[in-house]
């Protein structure tokens, strides 16, 4: 070098070496500030400069400009340099709109920069930061077995699935260190889950303020064995309606008149509910008159305080709706078959469906739903298919003229049959649909639907249209028997709703029964008061004398007068007696009559919770609230919500029916209990604490 260092400065030669003051000298010894050419400090090695250029926008400020989208970015401001990381992100993450469109066109998803000689280089790597430790998930063998057992219970998987080769291979790939479990291990865990959940449910039942009502249904198997499933319905300590399976027991001889008595007795004994039974609901599909008679006798013994066992419902609400729907479909089977074949003709061919939709557009039919082929096992599916097809009947008529191969078109009479059928099918569907909600409805919800069906069928049976009357009359006769069997209990339940009370019952019975309405209404009123007396008698510490006065709810006792008080000699002693009597009547007016005499609540809110109302008023009505809780928990349907529209009874598959009765009961009961979450699973935080270990490097 020809230069030398003087006074802390670096002299440069004519080759442009930078001096100690940061000034660059040209060949002409001219000084240029760094603001003019900052990029001359050092050679730019970053790959981003293939996509960016630098531009001096002002003294001391240089910006980087994207060659593709011309967007500028901060680069150097004074003595601060922004670096190139944000420039790399602009290209590699697809932020640049020009580069993003190019990537989409070339189906590229990552930024692939090229070097100066045109070869492809690797994308810029993210800088790895050192961490104080690493996180590894430790295998918890016991928890894995528990989750497998829960999976089998919740989803009805075969219990021997843990021995299936496909599942074994999947588990090995998922966690090579997992020791595959045997059927016996899974069975033991299933029993353990069942035991824990049963203990939790037993604790809940021990705390309920009222009684438990039971429903009983019959399941069958390929071996012609019967299984009785008993479900308990009750109001818990938080005033929420619960529905839990309590017993699943084999009935070797389901045609025996006393077989179901044994099932009920074993359920009550196992759960300690002998003194807490309120009502029992069965269905005539398996419970004939002899079976019902035996069950009624059993109920009168186990529940003698509750009107000698009168609360036995011999018809399942959901099954009644299914029988009515199937009877209606059967009465129009020929028209239904033509519509079903027509829908299938259109749906099985894409070209035919396109033709159908074009005709639909030409006719400008505003109905938007598409045709569906029904599942004949689910009667709501058939109703859905018919209702859609009925709205599109004009399109089917045009298809008959447009497609020479279409020879299945229903006639006008057929469409009339379908229209009438859909009107009454909607009544049954709406009535059954209330059972498909997330939570089981209170007993007060059923009166409206049953009463509406009864009135509509009665009106249809008297129709001036001969076809309608002939179609509806058999349905009305079937439903009228169910109505008369359960209308009193239904009315007692709706009377416990403060929005309706007995006013709705009186109004509805007058419309349904006509001149007999007053007699039926009086039966409901008397039944309520008689039942209330039972609850009052159970709350009294000592026997009391009750005087029956038309069951008006007045509990009369002798008036205690002050021994020092003497009647005044003014000739009004009879007036004093009168005042004493009316005062005594006012003071001893029953909770039931106080409740019934109060004004109705407005019906404006659709979110009204009748149980919440009774929870808030249980202090005002301590005895009546217990009675209301038991009445509102009366179950009218014996099947679960997922079986409401089934046309076939529940049947066990060959694998489940081959299991031991104890194993089968554990699976069925635990399945129901886990769905309701009687025992909460571990939280994510608990699992993380249990499974994650921190290992310091």
């Amino acid at each position: 070098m020809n230069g030398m260092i003087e006074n802390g400065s670096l002299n440069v030669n004519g080759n442009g070496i930078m001096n100690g003051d940061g000034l660059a000298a040209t060949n002409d010894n001219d000084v240029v500030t760094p603001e003019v050419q900052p990029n001359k400090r050092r050679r730019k090695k970053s790959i981003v400069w293939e996509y960016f250029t630098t531009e001096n926008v002002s003294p001391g400020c240089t910006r980087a400009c994207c060659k593709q989208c011309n967007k500028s970015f901060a680069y150097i401001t004074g003595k601060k340099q922004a670096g190139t990381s944000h420039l790399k992100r602009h290209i590699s993450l697809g932020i640049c709109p020009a580069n993003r469109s190019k990537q989409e066109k070339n189906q590229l998803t990552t930024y692939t920069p090229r070097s100066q000689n045109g070869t492809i280089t690797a994308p810029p790597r993210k800088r790895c930061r050192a961490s104080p430790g690493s996180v590894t998930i430790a295998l918890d063998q016991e928890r894995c077995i528990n989750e497998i057992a829960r999976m089998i219970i919740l989803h009805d998987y075969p219990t021997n699935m843990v021995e299936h080769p496909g599942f074994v291979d999947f588990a090995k790939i998922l966690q090579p260190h997992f020791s595959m479990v045997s059927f016996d291990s899974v069975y033991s865990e299933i029993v353990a889950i069942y035991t824990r959940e049963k203990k939790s449910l037993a604790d809940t039942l021990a705390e309920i303020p009222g009684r438990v009502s039971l429903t009983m249904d019959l399941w069958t198997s390929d071996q012609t064995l019967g299984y009785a499933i008993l479900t308990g319905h009750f109001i818990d300590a938080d005033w929420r309606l619960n529905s839990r399976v309590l017993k699943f027991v084999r009935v070797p001889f389901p045609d025996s008149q006393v077989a179901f008595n044994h099932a009920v007795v074993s359920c009550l004994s196992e759960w300690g509910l002998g003194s807490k039974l309120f009502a029992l609901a069965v269905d005539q599909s398996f419970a004939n008159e002899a079976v019902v008679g035996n069950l009624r006798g059993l109920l009168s013994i186990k529940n003698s305080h509750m009107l000698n066992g009168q609360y036995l419902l011999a018809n399942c609400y959901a099954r009644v709706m299914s029988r009515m729907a199937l009877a209606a479909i059967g009465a129009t089977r020929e028209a239904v078959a033509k519509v079903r074949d027509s829908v299938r003709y259109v749906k099985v061919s894409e070209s035919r469906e396109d033709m159908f939709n074009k005709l639909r557009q030409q006719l400008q039919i505003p109905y938007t739903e598409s045709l569906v082929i029904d599942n004949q096992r689910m009667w709501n599916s058939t109703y859905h298919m018919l209702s859609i097809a009925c709205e599109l009947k004009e399109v089917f008529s045009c298809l008959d003229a447009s497609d020479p191969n279409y020879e299945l078109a229903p006639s006008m009479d057929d469409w009339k049959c379908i229209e009438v059928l859909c009107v009454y099918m909607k009544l049954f569907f709406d009535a059954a649909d209330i059972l498909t909600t997330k939570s089981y409805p209170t007993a007060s919800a059923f009166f409206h639907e049953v009463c509406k069906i009864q009135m509509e069928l009665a009106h249809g049976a008297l129709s001036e249209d001969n076809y309608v009357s002939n179609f509806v009359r058999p349905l009305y006769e079937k439903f009228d028997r169910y109505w008369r069997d359960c209308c009193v209990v239904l009315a007692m339940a709706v009377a416990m709703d403060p929005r309706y009370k007995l006013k709705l019952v009186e109004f509805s019975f007058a419309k349904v029964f006509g001149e007999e309405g007053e007699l039926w209404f009086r039966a409901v009123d008397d039944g309520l008061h008689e039942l209330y007396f039972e609850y009052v008698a159970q709350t009294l510490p000592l026997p009391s004398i009750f005087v029956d006065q038309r069951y008006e709810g007045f509990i009369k006792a002798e008036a205690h007068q002050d021994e020092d008080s003497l009647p005044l000699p003014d000739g009004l002693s009879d007036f004093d007696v009168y005042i004493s009597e009316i005062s005594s009547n006012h003071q001893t007016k029953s909770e039931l009559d106080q409740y019934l005499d109060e004004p109705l609540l407005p019906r404006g809110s659709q979110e009204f919770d009748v149980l919440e109302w009774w929870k808030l008023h249980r202090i005002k009505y301590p005895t009546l609230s217990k009675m209301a809780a038991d009445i509102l928990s009366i179950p009218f349907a014996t099947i679960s919500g997922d079986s409401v529209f089934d046309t076939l009874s529940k049947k066990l598959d060959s694998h489940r029916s081959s299991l031991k009765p104890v194993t089968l009961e554990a699976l069925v009961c635990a399945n129901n209990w886990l769905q309701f979450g009687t025992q909460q699973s571990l939280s994510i935080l608990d699992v993380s604490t249990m499974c994650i270990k921190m290992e310091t490097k």
Side-chain angles (χ1 to χ4, degrees):
M1 290 180 66
N2 297 328
M4 56 182 299
I5 300 176
E6 296 180 356
N7 300 326
S9 299
L10 179 65
N11 295 328
V12 298
N13 58 15
N15 294 327
I17 302 299
M18 191 177 297
N19 60 25
D21 294 330
L23 301 178
T26 63
N27 292 336
D28 297 330
N29 296 327
D30 293 332
V31 177
V32 181
T33 62
E35 288 81 358
V36 177
Q37 286 184 337
N39 54 338
K40 293 297 184 180
R41 280 181 158 184
R42 64 181 182 271
R43 178 184 175 188
K44 298 183 178 65
K45 298 180 180 180
S46 177
I47 56 178
V48 301
W49 297 115
E50 295 184 23
Y51 297 88
F52 289 88
T53 60
T54 57
E55 179 181 1
N56 300 322
V57 295
S58 63
C61 181
T62 301
R63 297 182 68 81
C65 183
C66 178
K67 295 179 181 180
Q68 300 181 93
C69 66
N70 297 325
K71 186 177 181 180
S72 64
F73 299 84
Y75 181 45
I76 294 179
T77 303
K79 294 183 179 181
K80 295 182 179 180
Q81 186 167 344
T84 59
S85 296
H86 63 304
L87 306 181
K88 293 177 182 178
R89 290 193 294 270
H90 179 70
I91 299 298
S92 62
L93 298 182
I95 300 175
C96 176
N99 190 48
R100 182 167 64 248
S101 61
K102 186 184 299 182
Q103 289 178 355
E104 293 174 354
K105 182 177 181 180
N106 297 330
Q107 297 182 348
L108 297 177
T109 58
T110 58
Y111 162 56
T112 55
R114 296 177 180 271
S115 63
Q116 292 182 355
N117 59 7
T119 61
I120 298 177
T121 61
R125 296 182 179 179
K126 295 182 179 180
R127 182 175 297 176
C128 297
R129 299 183 181 273
S131 58
S134 61
V135 178
T136 59
I137 300 179
L139 174 64
D140 190 331
Q141 182 80 10
E142 293 183 359
R143 181 162 179 80
C144 290
I145 296 175
N146 177 266
E147 291 301 326
I148 291 175
R150 287 172 58 89
M151 175 180 66
I152 291 174
I153 293 172
L154 283 171
H155 304 293
D156 294 333
Y157 294 148
T159 52
N160 60 347
M161 66 170 292
V162 294
E163 299 175 349
H164 293 175
F167 181 78
V168 173
D169 294 341
F170 171 75
K172 287 181 179 179
I173 294 175
L174 198 64
Q175 175 52 267
H177 299 291
F178 176 67
S179 299
M180 203 59 220
V181 295
S182 64
F183 166 77
D184 293 335
S185 299
V186 173
Y187 167 73
S188 299
E189 188 61 29
I190 290 173
V191 174
I193 293 174
Y194 166 75
T195 304
R196 290 194 300 268
E197 295 291 337
K198 185 175 183 179
K199 174 63 169 57
S200 177
L201 180 56
D203 293 341
T204 301
L205 289 173
E207 297 176 355
I208 63 174
R211 289 176 165 78
V212 177
S213 293
L214 292 179
T215 60
M216 183 165 57
D217 194 28
L218 180 67
W219 292 13
T220 58
S221 67
D222 294 334
Q223 290 80 14
T224 65
L225 292 175
Y227 296 85
I229 179 169
L230 290 103
T231 306
H233 303 259
F234 57 91
I235 305 296
D236 62 19
D238 294 326
W239 282 82
R240 292 173 301 187
L241 179 59
N242 292 263
S243 174
R244 299 289 187 274
V245 173
L246 300 181
K247 191 70 177 174
F248 190 79
V249 58
R250 179 184 290 180
V251 184
F253 305 101
D255 54 346
S256 172
Q257 297 182 5
V258 296
F260 298 103
N261 285 42
H262 295 313
V264 174
V265 171
S266 64
C267 177
L268 296 177
S269 175
E270 183 174 334
W271 291 92
L273 299 175
S275 61
K276 285 191 172 183
L277 181 62
F278 182 73
L280 176 64
V282 294
D283 186 67
Q284 67 175 19
S285 59
F286 67 91
N288 54 35
E289 292 184 2
V291 171
V292 171
N294 285 322
L295 288 173
R296 193 178 300 278
L298 174 65
L299 193 60
S300 64
I301 297 174
K302 295 293 184 180
N303 192 16
S304 59
H305 295 296
M306 295 295 103
L307 304 183
N308 294 321
Q310 293 183 26
Y311 293 114
L312 189 144
L313 307 175
N315 279 291
C316 169
Y317 173 89
R319 292 264 172 78
V320 169
M321 298 305 155
S322 295
R323 286 193 285 266
M324 296 298 296
L326 293 178
I329 293 173
T332 56
R333 64 175 62 89
E334 294 181 0
V336 171
K338 290 182 180 180
V339 173
R340 181 181 290 119
D341 292 340
S342 296
V343 172
R344 186 178 288 110
Y345 177 84
V346 173
K347 294 292 293 183
V348 296
S349 171
E350 186 175 347
S351 60
R352 295 172 190 166
E353 191 167 8
D354 290 340
M355 179 186 299
F356 187 88
N357 291 330
K358 289 179 181 178
L359 292 173
R360 181 178 185 171
Q361 293 176 358
Q362 293 174 3
L363 294 173
Q364 298 181 351
I365 296 178
Y367 194 71
T368 57
E369 290 199 48
S370 301
L371 293 173
V372 292
I373 301 176
D374 67 326
N375 175 10
Q376 297 185 45
R377 181 178 175 177
M378 308 289 289
W379 64 265
N380 63 321
S381 175
T382 301
Y383 163 64
H384 191 206
M385 176 195 71
L386 296 175
S387 62
I388 295 175
C390 195
E391 295 289 340
L392 301 174
K393 60 183 179 181
E394 297 179 9
V395 185
F396 281 104
S397 299
C398 291
L399 184 65
D400 185 26
S402 303
D403 186 353
N405 296 322
Y406 177 55
E407 301 175 352
L408 307 170
S411 64
M412 296 302 296
D413 290 338
D414 292 330
W415 285 119
K416 179 182 178 181
C417 294
I418 300 301
E419 288 178 351
V420 174
L421 173 62
C422 287
V423 169
Y424 292 95
M425 286 283 286
K426 186 178 187 308
L427 290 174
F428 308 138
F429 173 80
D430 292 342
D433 195 49
I434 65 175
L435 290 169
T436 62
T437 56
K438 186 177 180 180
S439 58
Y440 195 92
T442 58
S444 57
F446 296 95
F447 180 83
H448 312 283
E449 300 298 336
V450 175
C451 189
K452 180 170 64 175
I453 293 177
Q454 176 71 7
M455 288 189 290
E456 291 294 335
L457 291 178
H459 179 74
L462 300 175
S463 174
E464 296 180 357
D465 188 321
N466 290 332
Y467 175 77
V468 173
S469 61
N470 292 333
F471 170 77
V472 175
R473 193 175 295 111
L475 300 178
Y476 171 73
E477 293 174 356
K478 290 177 179 292
F479 195 80
D480 185 63
R481 289 193 291 270
Y482 171 71
W483 163 257
R484 291 176 181 270
D485 287 341
C486 68
C487 65
V488 172
V489 181
L490 286 168
M492 292 174 64
V494 81
M496 293 296 100
D497 190 325
R499 298 172 298 172
Y500 307 109
K501 301 184 181 179
L502 286 176
K503 299 296 183 183
L504 179 63
V505 177
E506 185 177 19
F507 171 78
S508 301
F509 279 10
K511 296 176 64 176
V512 174
F513 293 109
E515 296 180 355
E516 297 181 355
E518 179 63 26
L519 295 176
W520 285 93
F521 173 76
R522 185 55 54 198
V524 175
D525 188 37
D526 291 348
L528 278 175
H529 284 85
E530 184 179 355
L531 181 60
Y532 175 73
F533 288 155
E534 297 280 1
Y535 279 84
V536 172
Q538 295 173 30
T539 59
L540 294 176
L542 295 175
S544 300
I545 300 176
F546 298 97
V547 180
D548 181 8
Q549 291 187 353
R550 200 179 53 83
Y551 299 113
E552 294 179 353
F554 293 102
I555 305 173
K556 297 201 172 184
E558 294 184 358
H560 298 283
Q561 298 181 352
D562 189 354
E563 295 180 357
D564 297 332
S565 63
L566 296 175
L568 298 176
D570 55 3
L572 294 177
S573 58
D574 55 345
F575 175 72
D576 294 333
V577 174
Y578 169 73
I579 294 298
S580 176
E581 288 182 353
I582 63 174
S583 299
S584 176
N585 286 341
H586 177 73
Q587 293 174 0
T588 60
K589 191 174 184 180
S590 69
E591 294 177 21
L592 176 60
D593 287 316
Q594 291 180 41
Y595 164 76
L596 294 175
D597 290 343
E598 289 181 351
L600 302 180
L601 291 183
R603 296 185 296 108
S605 176
Q606 296 293 331
E607 302 298 328
F608 178 77
D609 189 342
V610 63
L611 293 179
E612 184 67 20
W613 188 91
W614 279 106
K615 178 182 178 181
L616 296 175
H617 292 78
R618 67 186 185 278
I619 298 178
K620 182 179 181 181
Y621 304 112
T623 302
L624 183 62
S625 61
K626 295 179 181 179
M627 171 179 149
D630 292 340
I631 291 179
L632 291 173
S633 62
I634 292 177
F636 287 91
T638 64
I639 58 178
S640 58
D642 58 351
S643 304
V644 169
F645 300 107
D646 283 355
T647 59
L648 302 176
S649 60
K650 199 80 170 183
K651 192 171 185 177
L652 293 175
D653 58 35
S654 57
H655 173 73
R656 286 295 172 103
S657 58
S658 66
L659 298 175
K660 295 180 180 179
V662 176
T663 306
L664 187 56
E665 181 177 18
L667 288 169
V668 173
C669 293
N671 172 276
N672 176 264
W673 300 340
L674 289 179
Q675 289 183 25
F676 287 98
T678 52
Q679 179 180 343
Q680 297 297 329
S681 59
L682 293 174
S683 65
I684 296 177
L685 181 60
D686 294 334
V687 175
S688 301
T689 304
M690 181 174 59
C691 297
I692 296 181
K693 295 181 179 179
M694 302 299 297
E695 298 179 357
T696 305
K697 288 185 177 180

